[in-house]
Amino acid sequence: MGNLFKHASNVSQNAFIATLILYIIIVASFVPSIVFAGNVFATLIKIAAALLILVTILGMIYSLFIKGGQKFLFLLLHAVSLFIVLFSISAFMLAKSAELT
């Protein structure tokens, strides 16, 4: 476990893979949460979204310590992922506020 955090490129790469897996979990849980209106799927989406934000920020921080040409690529991928999550949250909040009025 300690060896994993010594190499910034490994941490950033694993964080990006975890980000992709969390995106797949969110997308796969989205349709059943609408169709079945179950709280289980909604809770799963909330937990995955929180983990997605944390993993993306961790990967972005570790991307700063990468030496070489991969630094810009991983920074860009983590930044895009973070912007997508933040845009989704803000769009959800706007939709909820429009629903209330």
Side-chain angles (χ1 to χ4, degrees):
M1 184 78 175
N3 196 16
L4 173 70
F5 290 106
K6 289 183 182 179
H7 303 290
S9 62
N10 288 343
V11 173
S12 184
Q13 185 177 13
N14 290 335
F16 186 69
I17 291 170
T19 300
L20 291 177
I21 291 170
L22 288 170
Y23 273 125
I24 292 170
I25 289 172
I26 289 173
V27 169
S29 300
F30 186 70
V31 173
S33 70
I34 293 173
V35 173
F36 299 118
N39 291 334
V40 174
F41 293 111
T43 305
L44 181 66
I45 291 173
K46 290 175 187 176
I47 291 171
L51 287 174
L52 184 63
I53 293 170
L54 291 175
V55 167
T56 304
I57 290 173
L58 175 78
M60 188 176 245
I61 290 171
Y62 269 92
S63 294
L64 295 172
F65 299 109
I66 295 175
K67 293 177 176 47
Q70 291 181 340
K71 180 178 187 172
F72 178 72
L73 177 67
F74 279 115
L75 277 173
L76 182 68
L77 289 173
H78 288 296
V80 166
S81 176
L82 193 61
F83 290 140
I84 289 171
V85 170
L86 294 177
F87 176 76
S88 301
I89 290 171
S90 62
F92 177 75
M93 292 174 68
L94 279 173
K96 280 293 191 181
S97 67
E99 184 180 292
L100 295 175
T101 58

